[in-house]
Structures are given as C-alpha cells and as structure tokens.
Amino acid sequence: MTVSSAIQFGTAPTIGAPRQASPDLLRSVFRRHAAGVAVITAQGERPVGFTATSLNSVAAEPPLISFGVGTSSSSWPVVAEAEHIGVHILGEHQEELAATFARSGADRFGGATRWSTGPEGVPVLDGVLAWLVCRVVARVPAGDHRIVIAQVVAGDPDGAGRPLLYHHGRFNALRD
C-alpha cells in the first residue's frame, strides 16, 4: 500500500508528511479519537480493575463485547483466568474514579471506591451510567495486549448522567 499525496477527484486535503508506523504514531493518532471511558473489573484472590477506552460492542446475537488489556498490567493475571468480568460505563461525574483505575499502584477498591459483589461474583461499581457482567469466551493475542471477547449475562443500563470521554490525553464531557 502506498500513501498518495494527491486525490484523483476533488481537492487534496492538507496533510503533513507521512510518518513511519511506530507506537508513538499510533498513540498520537488515537489521542485525537474521542472514546467513551469504561472500567473493567474481575474477581481473583482480590478484586482487580482498570480503565479502558477500547471497549466495543461486537455482536447483538449473541450479545458480545470486546476490550484490550495489556499483558504487563497488574490486572492481566486475574483477567487471564477469570470466567466473568464486569464492564462499567462511566459518567462525566466519575473522572476521579477513571483516574484511580488508570493509575498504576493505586488502591482501586479502597475506601473511596463504592462497589458491591454482583452477578457471578464480579465486582460491580456503584453510580455508573450502565454496567454489564460478561462471560469470557476468548482471549486473542494482539501484540503486547490481549483482546478479550465476552458474552453478556446480566446488566443494568439505567444509571443517570452523561458519559465520560477520553480525548487528547484528558478526561472530558460532552458538549451540546
């Protein structure tokens, strides 16, 4: 595949010089991609969780979701073995919760985090816009990550508020 500096039809967009593929290029491009913020949880000897912006709906029948998780993350050993995981869609009022679950070494389930044990023994966070408990059906190797595919078994879509977004390295809210 080649990168063309002009388009056959119409006006060529103003673009910079192409850069070679690299982790920095990928991160730089995806900083421009606004994404919803989720927290993924699982139960091992203790609960684990992490902030994810890679959450996707995969299929409606059966209801499947996917997300990426780094194999070097502290949550990976539990997620690698968990039969069920929790998926939590965060609201704009939960920026600090998102930051806590994104911070390495943080006490993610400490006193400031309100949660309870949900279906299948999965930690379910309080006050989120929506949550799901899912049964893991596949863990697909993808570079230094795994793509987890999971089937929905229970959930609640009725939390109040507006979604938290991640864009350009910061948490943001929707604007009307």
Side-chain angles (χ1 to χ4, degrees):
M1 181 169 139
T2 60
V3 177
S4 174
S5 61
I7 296 177
Q8 295 282 0
F9 305 102
T11 306
T14 304
I15 59 173
R19 295 174 16 196
Q20 291 292 33
S22 69
D24 183 55
L25 174 63
L26 185 68
R27 283 190 287 271
S28 294
V29 168
F30 273 86
R31 279 188 196 108
R32 305 239 178 213
H33 175 69
V37 180
V39 167
I40 309 297
T41 60
Q43 182 65 49
E45 287 184 23
R46 59 180 179 74
V48 299
F50 60 94
T51 299
T53 56
S54 61
L55 179 65
N56 290 291
S57 170
V58 173
E61 188 57 44
L64 298 171
I65 59 94
S66 71
F67 60 88
V69 56
T71 56
S72 63
S73 80
S74 60
S75 297
W76 171 244
V78 174
V79 173
E81 300 294 324
E83 288 186 41
H84 293 87
I85 51 92
V87 176
H88 307 84
I89 308 301
L90 300 190
E92 65 186 2
H93 63 286
Q94 294 177 304
E95 184 175 330
E96 184 54 39
L97 184 67
T100 297
F101 276 83
R103 193 175 312 118
S104 181
D107 183 6
R108 297 172 179 158
F109 288 90
T113 302
R114 294 180 7 244
W115 65 282
S116 58
T117 300
E120 306 297 337
V122 172
V124 174
L125 302 175
D126 292 347
V128 296
L129 297 186
W131 60 267
L132 299 168
V133 169
C134 305
R135 180 180 56 82
V136 175
V137 297
R139 295 172 183 87
V140 181
D144 62 353
H145 279 61
R146 294 296 180 270
I147 304 302
V148 177
I149 301 171
Q151 184 171 350
V152 176
V153 297
D156 181 357
D158 293 329
R162 294 165 48 106
L164 181 63
L165 301 178
Y166 190 72
H167 178 253
H168 225 298
R170 298 181 351 181
F171 295 113
N172 293 279
L174 285 175
R175 290 188 207 129
D176 289 330

